[in-house]
Amino acid sequence: MSKYIKLLIFILILAIISAAILFIDSSTDNMNKLMPEISEGIVKGDKDYNDAVELVNNKNYKESMNKAVSAGKNYNTSLNKLHILQNNFSSDVNQVHKNYINNVILEIELKIKAVDKLKDAIGSFEVNYNSTGSGYAVEANDFMNESMKYKNVRDSLVSDNPKLFKQNFII
């Protein structure tokens, strides 16, 4: 075999290995890159949700609905990014990180349900169906309270495994 062919084979193998390394960008690295964006969406969603509740209490239904819609968009954006992470888990993701992501997803899904119930409540209050609106508001509050259970699990995962979580990974 000539030196030229050996060199081509070596370069080809090197190129394949390099491509594999680039292609296998670790899921943990991807999580670390996306978590600040996901966290920001959740924080903004929580603020918008709380603002919406305050505006409902002040009978400012139009602005309240705008804030509720914004909260839903922020939560959905974060949820979509989490689903992308979840669908691309590779072997480098340990079970603690998987549990963390799964708990964030469950938390946000409940927050989205809370937003939907809040919007139902706002619509009812606007047309003076106060009893119906109060019922929806209680359901929204229940969903938010239930979402806190998943946040508490996440917090426990972080406190029990501090070496597994970089500061920018935590929501």
Side-chain angles (χ1 to χ4, degrees):
M1 204 184 259
S2 75
K3 289 183 182 182
Y4 179 72
I5 292 176
K6 286 180 184 178
L7 181 62
L8 282 176
I9 291 172
F10 176 75
I11 292 172
L12 181 64
I13 290 172
L14 189 60
I16 290 171
I17 291 171
S18 297
I21 289 170
L22 291 173
F23 181 73
I24 303 177
D25 187 22
S26 80
S27 295
T28 304
D29 288 343
N30 285 335
M31 284 190 279
N32 286 331
K33 290 175 192 171
L34 281 178
M35 290 314 282
E37 295 172 32
I38 292 167
S39 177
E40 182 180 338
I42 295 170
V43 168
K44 285 181 179 178
D46 289 345
K47 182 181 181 331
D48 287 341
Y49 182 89
N50 291 330
D51 289 349
V53 169
E54 187 175 324
L55 288 162
V56 165
N57 291 335
N58 292 328
K59 300 182 192 255
N60 186 342
Y61 302 125
K62 182 178 180 189
E63 275 305 306
S64 178
M65 184 62 80
N66 290 338
K67 287 290 186 176
V69 167
S70 179
K73 286 179 182 177
N74 283 306
Y75 290 143
N76 277 304
T77 298
S78 291
L79 183 62
N80 290 335
K81 290 177 183 177
L82 285 162
H83 281 301
I84 290 168
L85 285 177
Q86 187 183 45
N87 292 332
N88 293 311
F89 280 158
S90 63
S91 61
D92 71 318
V93 178
N94 65 47
Q95 193 58 46
V96 174
H97 283 139
K98 288 179 183 178
N99 290 343
Y100 184 90
I101 296 298
N102 292 337
N103 276 283
V104 178
I105 288 170
L106 293 169
E107 176 187 343
I108 294 175
E109 288 173 344
L110 287 166
K111 288 181 176 190
I112 290 169
K113 289 180 181 179
V115 167
D116 291 341
K117 289 300 177 182
L118 180 61
K119 289 192 284 189
D120 291 340
I122 295 166
S124 296
F125 289 136
E126 282 181 313
V127 293
N128 292 318
Y129 290 160
N130 295 334
S131 178
T132 303
S134 294
Y136 286 132
V138 167
E139 288 182 69
N141 191 49
D142 290 345
F143 282 128
M144 274 299 185
N145 287 336
E146 191 176 344
S147 78
M148 291 307 295
K149 294 176 189 174
Y150 294 102
K151 182 187 182 315
N152 293 337
V153 171
R154 284 193 299 110
D155 291 345
S156 292
L157 286 169
V158 171
S159 65
D160 294 345
N161 304 282
K163 292 181 180 178
L164 291 177
F165 292 93
K166 293 181 178 180
Q167 187 59 37
N168 65 339
F169 188 92
I170 303 166
I171 297 173

mmCIF file of all heavy atoms in Angstrom, residues 109-147:
data_model
loop_
_atom_site.group_PDB
_atom_site.id
_atom_site.type_symbol
_atom_site.label_atom_id
_atom_site.label_comp_id
_atom_site.label_asym_id
_atom_site.label_seq_id
_atom_site.Cartn_x
_atom_site.Cartn_y
_atom_site.Cartn_z
ATOM 1 N N GLU A 109 -46.135 22.193 32.942
ATOM 2 C CA GLU A 109 -47.436 21.753 32.419
ATOM 3 C C GLU A 109 -48.565 22.149 33.361
ATOM 4 O O GLU A 109 -49.639 22.587 32.912
ATOM 5 C CB GLU A 109 -47.424 20.235 32.186
ATOM 6 C CG GLU A 109 -46.585 19.830 31.003
ATOM 7 C CD GLU A 109 -46.405 18.328 30.836
ATOM 8 O OE1 GLU A 109 -46.669 17.561 31.789
ATOM 9 O OE2 GLU A 109 -45.986 17.917 29.739
ATOM 10 N N LEU A 110 -48.320 22.055 34.658
ATOM 11 C CA LEU A 110 -49.330 22.483 35.627
ATOM 12 C C LEU A 110 -49.508 24.007 35.611
ATOM 13 O O LEU A 110 -50.629 24.505 35.747
ATOM 14 C CB LEU A 110 -48.961 22.000 37.030
ATOM 15 C CG LEU A 110 -49.153 20.502 37.240
ATOM 16 C CD1 LEU A 110 -48.446 20.042 38.509
ATOM 17 C CD2 LEU A 110 -50.634 20.150 37.295
ATOM 18 N N LYS A 111 -48.431 24.727 35.430
ATOM 19 C CA LYS A 111 -48.524 26.185 35.359
ATOM 20 C C LYS A 111 -49.313 26.620 34.121
ATOM 21 O O LYS A 111 -50.070 27.590 34.182
ATOM 22 C CB LYS A 111 -47.132 26.828 35.383
ATOM 23 C CG LYS A 111 -46.481 26.726 36.746
ATOM 24 C CD LYS A 111 -45.118 27.389 36.787
ATOM 25 C CE LYS A 111 -44.571 27.337 38.210
ATOM 26 N NZ LYS A 111 -43.384 28.151 38.388
ATOM 27 N N ILE A 112 -49.147 25.898 33.032
ATOM 28 C CA ILE A 112 -49.916 26.207 31.826
ATOM 29 C C ILE A 112 -51.402 25.950 32.067
ATOM 30 O O ILE A 112 -52.257 26.745 31.649
ATOM 31 C CB ILE A 112 -49.374 25.407 30.620
ATOM 32 C CG1 ILE A 112 -47.992 25.941 30.228
ATOM 33 C CG2 ILE A 112 -50.336 25.465 29.437
ATOM 34 C CD1 ILE A 112 -47.233 25.072 29.239
ATOM 35 N N LYS A 113 -51.712 24.879 32.771
ATOM 36 C CA LYS A 113 -53.118 24.613 33.131
ATOM 37 C C LYS A 113 -53.658 25.727 34.024
ATOM 38 O O LYS A 113 -54.812 26.140 33.871
ATOM 39 C CB LYS A 113 -53.247 23.261 33.836
ATOM 40 C CG LYS A 113 -53.044 22.076 32.923
ATOM 41 C CD LYS A 113 -53.179 20.760 33.690
ATOM 42 C CE LYS A 113 -52.941 19.578 32.785
ATOM 43 N NZ LYS A 113 -53.049 18.292 33.495
ATOM 44 N N ALA A 114 -52.823 26.201 34.932
ATOM 45 C CA ALA A 114 -53.237 27.303 35.807
ATOM 46 C C ALA A 114 -53.537 28.556 34.990
ATOM 47 O O ALA A 114 -54.537 29.249 35.233
ATOM 48 C CB ALA A 114 -52.154 27.589 36.847
ATOM 49 N N VAL A 115 -52.688 28.849 34.016
ATOM 50 C CA VAL A 115 -52.907 30.012 33.152
ATOM 51 C C VAL A 115 -54.228 29.869 32.399
ATOM 52 O O VAL A 115 -55.007 30.821 32.306
ATOM 53 C CB VAL A 115 -51.731 30.206 32.164
ATOM 54 C CG1 VAL A 115 -52.087 31.203 31.075
ATOM 55 C CG2 VAL A 115 -50.487 30.659 32.896
ATOM 56 N N ASP A 116 -54.482 28.674 31.876
ATOM 57 C CA ASP A 116 -55.727 28.450 31.139
ATOM 58 C C ASP A 116 -56.941 28.684 32.032
ATOM 59 O O ASP A 116 -57.925 29.308 31.616
ATOM 60 C CB ASP A 116 -55.758 27.041 30.543
ATOM 61 C CG ASP A 116 -54.748 26.859 29.413
ATOM 62 O OD1 ASP A 116 -54.282 27.873 28.848
ATOM 63 O OD2 ASP A 116 -54.421 25.686 29.110
ATOM 64 N N LYS A 117 -56.878 28.198 33.271
ATOM 65 C CA LYS A 117 -57.991 28.405 34.208
ATOM 66 C C LYS A 117 -58.106 29.876 34.602
ATOM 67 O O LYS A 117 -59.205 30.398 34.759
ATOM 68 C CB LYS A 117 -57.822 27.531 35.460
ATOM 69 C CG LYS A 117 -58.032 26.061 35.189
ATOM 70 C CD LYS A 117 -59.426 25.788 34.659
ATOM 71 C CE LYS A 117 -59.620 24.337 34.321
ATOM 72 N NZ LYS A 117 -60.940 24.051 33.758
ATOM 73 N N LEU A 118 -56.971 30.548 34.729
ATOM 74 C CA LEU A 118 -57.006 31.978 35.038
ATOM 75 C C LEU A 118 -57.672 32.747 33.910
ATOM 76 O O LEU A 118 -58.488 33.648 34.153
ATOM 77 C CB LEU A 118 -55.593 32.507 35.305
ATOM 78 C CG LEU A 118 -55.497 33.995 35.631
ATOM 79 C CD1 LEU A 118 -56.288 34.335 36.892
ATOM 80 C CD2 LEU A 118 -54.034 34.399 35.795
ATOM 81 N N LYS A 119 -57.351 32.384 32.681
ATOM 82 C CA LYS A 119 -57.992 33.058 31.534
ATOM 83 C C LYS A 119 -59.496 32.790 31.530
ATOM 84 O O LYS A 119 -60.286 33.694 31.235
ATOM 85 C CB LYS A 119 -57.342 32.613 30.224
ATOM 86 C CG LYS A 119 -55.925 33.160 30.052
ATOM 87 C CD LYS A 119 -55.371 32.988 28.659
ATOM 88 C CE LYS A 119 -54.948 31.589 28.375
ATOM 89 N NZ LYS A 119 -54.213 31.444 27.107
ATOM 90 N N ASP A 120 -59.896 31.563 31.879
ATOM 91 C CA ASP A 120 -61.332 31.269 32.004
ATOM 92 C C ASP A 120 -61.966 32.132 33.092
ATOM 93 O O ASP A 120 -63.078 32.647 32.924
ATOM 94 C CB ASP A 120 -61.553 29.782 32.328
ATOM 95 C CG ASP A 120 -61.201 28.858 31.176
ATOM 96 O OD1 ASP A 120 -61.136 29.318 30.008
ATOM 97 O OD2 ASP A 120 -60.993 27.643 31.445
ATOM 98 N N ALA A 121 -61.253 32.283 34.196
ATOM 99 C CA ALA A 121 -61.763 33.105 35.297
ATOM 100 C C ALA A 121 -61.927 34.557 34.856
ATOM 101 O O ALA A 121 -62.959 35.186 35.127
ATOM 102 C CB ALA A 121 -60.821 33.021 36.504
ATOM 103 N N ILE A 122 -60.923 35.076 34.169
ATOM 104 C CA ILE A 122 -60.983 36.464 33.699
ATOM 105 C C ILE A 122 -62.180 36.652 32.781
ATOM 106 O O ILE A 122 -62.938 37.618 32.924
ATOM 107 C CB ILE A 122 -59.665 36.855 32.982
ATOM 108 C CG1 ILE A 122 -58.504 36.849 33.966
ATOM 109 C CG2 ILE A 122 -59.804 38.219 32.303
ATOM 110 C CD1 ILE A 122 -57.125 36.878 33.313
ATOM 111 N N GLY A 123 -62.359 35.722 31.854
ATOM 112 C CA GLY A 123 -63.507 35.808 30.946
ATOM 113 C C GLY A 123 -64.824 35.790 31.686
ATOM 114 O O GLY A 123 -65.760 36.518 31.327
ATOM 115 N N SER A 124 -64.919 34.986 32.719
ATOM 116 C CA SER A 124 -66.154 34.920 33.506
ATOM 117 C C SER A 124 -66.376 36.201 34.297
ATOM 118 O O SER A 124 -67.501 36.717 34.354
ATOM 119 C CB SER A 124 -66.108 33.724 34.464
ATOM 120 O OG SER A 124 -66.070 32.512 33.750
ATOM 121 N N PHE A 125 -65.316 36.711 34.907
ATOM 122 C CA PHE A 125 -65.451 37.955 35.678
ATOM 123 C C PHE A 125 -65.859 39.125 34.781
ATOM 124 O O PHE A 125 -66.626 39.997 35.197
ATOM 125 C CB PHE A 125 -64.143 38.297 36.397
ATOM 126 C CG PHE A 125 -63.825 37.390 37.554
ATOM 127 C CD1 PHE A 125 -62.532 36.906 37.727
ATOM 128 C CD2 PHE A 125 -64.789 37.019 38.477
ATOM 129 C CE1 PHE A 125 -62.214 36.076 38.792
ATOM 130 C CE2 PHE A 125 -64.487 36.189 39.548
ATOM 131 C CZ PHE A 125 -63.197 35.717 39.704
ATOM 132 N N GLU A 126 -65.357 39.134 33.542
ATOM 133 C CA GLU A 126 -65.675 40.225 32.611
ATOM 134 C C GLU A 126 -67.174 40.313 32.339
ATOM 135 O O GLU A 126 -67.695 41.410 32.106
ATOM 136 C CB GLU A 126 -64.931 40.034 31.286
ATOM 137 C CG GLU A 126 -63.478 40.427 31.346
ATOM 138 C CD GLU A 126 -62.774 40.248 30.009
ATOM 139 O OE1 GLU A 126 -62.933 39.183 29.380
ATOM 140 O OE2 GLU A 126 -62.058 41.189 29.605
ATOM 141 N N VAL A 127 -67.841 39.177 32.337
ATOM 142 C CA VAL A 127 -69.284 39.175 32.051
ATOM 143 C C VAL A 127 -70.115 38.986 33.327
ATOM 144 O O VAL A 127 -71.279 38.591 33.275
ATOM 145 C CB VAL A 127 -69.650 38.110 30.989
ATOM 146 C CG1 VAL A 127 -69.046 38.484 29.647
ATOM 147 C CG2 VAL A 127 -69.239 36.720 31.427
ATOM 148 N N ASN A 128 -69.483 39.272 34.460
ATOM 149 C CA ASN A 128 -70.143 39.237 35.772
ATOM 150 C C ASN A 128 -70.638 37.852 36.187
ATOM 151 O O ASN A 128 -71.590 37.747 36.960
ATOM 152 C CB ASN A 128 -71.274 40.264 35.846
ATOM 153 C CG ASN A 128 -70.747 41.672 35.814
ATOM 154 O OD1 ASN A 128 -69.749 41.980 36.462
ATOM 155 N ND2 ASN A 128 -71.386 42.536 35.030
ATOM 156 N N TYR A 129 -70.011 36.811 35.695
ATOM 157 C CA TYR A 129 -70.280 35.459 36.200
ATOM 158 C C TYR A 129 -69.262 35.191 37.313
ATOM 159 O O TYR A 129 -68.349 34.389 37.168
ATOM 160 C CB TYR A 129 -70.166 34.412 35.085
ATOM 161 C CG TYR A 129 -71.246 34.447 34.057
ATOM 162 C CD1 TYR A 129 -71.055 33.869 32.821
ATOM 163 C CD2 TYR A 129 -72.485 35.049 34.305
ATOM 164 C CE1 TYR A 129 -72.047 33.884 31.845
ATOM 165 C CE2 TYR A 129 -73.477 35.078 33.344
ATOM 166 C CZ TYR A 129 -73.248 34.494 32.121
ATOM 167 O OH TYR A 129 -74.230 34.508 31.158
ATOM 168 N N ASN A 130 -69.449 35.912 38.409
ATOM 169 C CA ASN A 130 -68.453 35.919 39.473
ATOM 170 C C ASN A 130 -68.292 34.567 40.157
ATOM 171 O O ASN A 130 -67.181 34.180 40.519
ATOM 172 C CB ASN A 130 -68.773 37.005 40.490
ATOM 173 C CG ASN A 130 -68.654 38.381 39.871
ATOM 174 O OD1 ASN A 130 -67.907 38.577 38.913
ATOM 175 N ND2 ASN A 130 -69.404 39.335 40.386
ATOM 176 N N SER A 131 -69.370 33.835 40.327
ATOM 177 C CA SER A 131 -69.283 32.522 40.962
ATOM 178 C C SER A 131 -68.470 31.565 40.081
ATOM 179 O O SER A 131 -67.588 30.843 40.571
ATOM 180 C CB SER A 131 -70.684 31.975 41.204
ATOM 181 O OG SER A 131 -70.613 30.690 41.768
ATOM 182 N N THR A 132 -68.765 31.565 38.791
ATOM 183 C CA THR A 132 -68.021 30.722 37.851
ATOM 184 C C THR A 132 -66.559 31.159 37.800
ATOM 185 O O THR A 132 -65.652 30.318 37.827
ATOM 186 C CB THR A 132 -68.652 30.805 36.450
ATOM 187 O OG1 THR A 132 -70.021 30.428 36.541
ATOM 188 C CG2 THR A 132 -67.934 29.913 35.459
ATOM 189 N N GLY A 133 -66.335 32.452 37.751
ATOM 190 C CA GLY A 133 -64.968 32.984 37.727
ATOM 191 C C GLY A 133 -64.196 32.596 38.974
ATOM 192 O O GLY A 133 -63.020 32.212 38.885
ATOM 193 N N SER A 134 -64.852 32.642 40.117
ATOM 194 C CA SER A 134 -64.194 32.251 41.369
ATOM 195 C C SER A 134 -63.820 30.767 41.347
ATOM 196 O O SER A 134 -62.755 30.384 41.829
ATOM 197 C CB SER A 134 -65.092 32.545 42.566
ATOM 198 O OG SER A 134 -65.261 33.934 42.706
ATOM 199 N N GLY A 135 -64.695 29.957 40.775
ATOM 200 C CA GLY A 135 -64.398 28.527 40.654
ATOM 201 C C GLY A 135 -63.162 28.282 39.797
ATOM 202 O O GLY A 135 -62.294 27.474 40.157
ATOM 203 N N TYR A 136 -63.106 28.984 38.668
ATOM 204 C CA TYR A 136 -61.928 28.855 37.806
ATOM 205 C C TYR A 136 -60.668 29.368 38.513
ATOM 206 O O TYR A 136 -59.583 28.792 38.375
ATOM 207 C CB TYR A 136 -62.111 29.621 36.497
ATOM 208 C CG TYR A 136 -63.055 28.982 35.518
ATOM 209 C CD1 TYR A 136 -64.047 29.734 34.893
ATOM 210 C CD2 TYR A 136 -62.961 27.636 35.188
ATOM 211 C CE1 TYR A 136 -64.913 29.163 33.970
ATOM 212 C CE2 TYR A 136 -63.822 27.052 34.274
ATOM 213 C CZ TYR A 136 -64.798 27.825 33.673
ATOM 214 O OH TYR A 136 -65.644 27.251 32.763
ATOM 215 N N ALA A 137 -60.815 30.459 39.265
ATOM 216 C CA ALA A 137 -59.668 31.021 39.979
ATOM 217 C C ALA A 137 -59.143 30.034 41.027
ATOM 218 O O ALA A 137 -57.929 29.881 41.188
ATOM 219 C CB ALA A 137 -60.044 32.346 40.631
ATOM 220 N N VAL A 138 -60.045 29.345 41.698
ATOM 221 C CA VAL A 138 -59.632 28.332 42.681
ATOM 222 C C VAL A 138 -58.885 27.199 41.980
ATOM 223 O O VAL A 138 -57.848 26.731 42.464
ATOM 224 C CB VAL A 138 -60.855 27.797 43.465
ATOM 225 C CG1 VAL A 138 -60.521 26.545 44.246
ATOM 226 C CG2 VAL A 138 -61.400 28.878 44.396
ATOM 227 N N GLU A 139 -59.395 26.772 40.822
ATOM 228 C CA GLU A 139 -58.704 25.716 40.060
ATOM 229 C C GLU A 139 -57.307 26.178 39.628
ATOM 230 O O GLU A 139 -56.343 25.405 39.708
ATOM 231 C CB GLU A 139 -59.519 25.321 38.834
ATOM 232 C CG GLU A 139 -60.767 24.517 39.146
ATOM 233 C CD GLU A 139 -61.516 24.122 37.886
ATOM 234 O OE1 GLU A 139 -60.986 23.279 37.131
ATOM 235 O OE2 GLU A 139 -62.608 24.688 37.660
ATOM 236 N N ALA A 140 -57.207 27.422 39.178
ATOM 237 C CA ALA A 140 -55.906 27.964 38.773
ATOM 238 C C ALA A 140 -54.945 27.934 39.960
ATOM 239 O O ALA A 140 -53.790 27.501 39.825
ATOM 240 C CB ALA A 140 -56.056 29.389 38.244
ATOM 241 N N ASN A 141 -55.435 28.358 41.108
ATOM 242 C CA ASN A 141 -54.605 28.367 42.308
ATOM 243 C C ASN A 141 -54.183 26.943 42.690
ATOM 244 O O ASN A 141 -53.038 26.713 43.085
ATOM 245 C CB ASN A 141 -55.372 29.030 43.450
ATOM 246 C CG ASN A 141 -54.490 29.314 44.637
ATOM 247 O OD1 ASN A 141 -53.409 29.870 44.504
ATOM 248 N ND2 ASN A 141 -54.955 28.905 45.814
ATOM 249 N N ASP A 142 -55.105 25.997 42.561
ATOM 250 C CA ASP A 142 -54.779 24.597 42.872
ATOM 251 C C ASP A 142 -53.680 24.066 41.954
ATOM 252 O O ASP A 142 -52.766 23.369 42.410
ATOM 253 C CB ASP A 142 -56.023 23.715 42.768
ATOM 254 C CG ASP A 142 -57.038 23.963 43.881
ATOM 255 O OD1 ASP A 142 -56.669 24.602 44.898
ATOM 256 O OD2 ASP A 142 -58.193 23.523 43.726
ATOM 257 N N PHE A 143 -53.760 24.393 40.660
ATOM 258 C CA PHE A 143 -52.719 23.959 39.729
ATOM 259 C C PHE A 143 -51.368 24.575 40.095
ATOM 260 O O PHE A 143 -50.325 23.911 40.044
ATOM 261 C CB PHE A 143 -53.075 24.294 38.280
ATOM 262 C CG PHE A 143 -54.071 23.357 37.656
ATOM 263 C CD1 PHE A 143 -55.208 23.854 37.042
ATOM 264 C CD2 PHE A 143 -53.865 21.986 37.664
ATOM 265 C CE1 PHE A 143 -56.131 22.994 36.448
ATOM 266 C CE2 PHE A 143 -54.781 21.115 37.082
ATOM 267 C CZ PHE A 143 -55.920 21.622 36.474
ATOM 268 N N MET A 144 -51.381 25.851 40.446
ATOM 269 C CA MET A 144 -50.126 26.501 40.844
ATOM 270 C C MET A 144 -49.558 25.868 42.108
ATOM 271 O O MET A 144 -48.350 25.630 42.206
ATOM 272 C CB MET A 144 -50.328 28.002 41.064
ATOM 273 C CG MET A 144 -50.198 28.814 39.813
ATOM 274 S SD MET A 144 -48.545 28.627 39.100
ATOM 275 C CE MET A 144 -48.668 29.786 37.791
ATOM 276 N N ASN A 145 -50.421 25.584 43.066
ATOM 277 C CA ASN A 145 -49.947 24.934 44.295
ATOM 278 C C ASN A 145 -49.376 23.551 43.994
ATOM 279 O O ASN A 145 -48.352 23.159 44.559
ATOM 280 C CB ASN A 145 -51.068 24.835 45.330
ATOM 281 C CG ASN A 145 -51.390 26.174 45.955
ATOM 282 O OD1 ASN A 145 -50.550 27.071 45.987
ATOM 283 N ND2 ASN A 145 -52.603 26.323 46.430
ATOM 284 N N GLU A 146 -50.021 22.817 43.118
ATOM 285 C CA GLU A 146 -49.533 21.491 42.744
ATOM 286 C C GLU A 146 -48.184 21.590 42.028
ATOM 287 O O GLU A 146 -47.303 20.744 42.215
ATOM 288 C CB GLU A 146 -50.559 20.772 41.865
ATOM 289 C CG GLU A 146 -50.263 19.313 41.661
ATOM 290 C CD GLU A 146 -51.331 18.585 40.874
ATOM 291 O OE1 GLU A 146 -52.456 19.118 40.723
ATOM 292 O OE2 GLU A 146 -51.038 17.476 40.402
ATOM 293 N N SER A 147 -48.011 22.643 41.230
ATOM 294 C CA SER A 147 -46.739 22.813 40.522
ATOM 295 C C SER A 147 -45.585 23.012 41.506
ATOM 296 O O SER A 147 -44.447 22.639 41.210
ATOM 297 C CB SER A 147 -46.810 23.983 39.540
ATOM 298 O OG SER A 147 -46.689 25.225 40.195
#
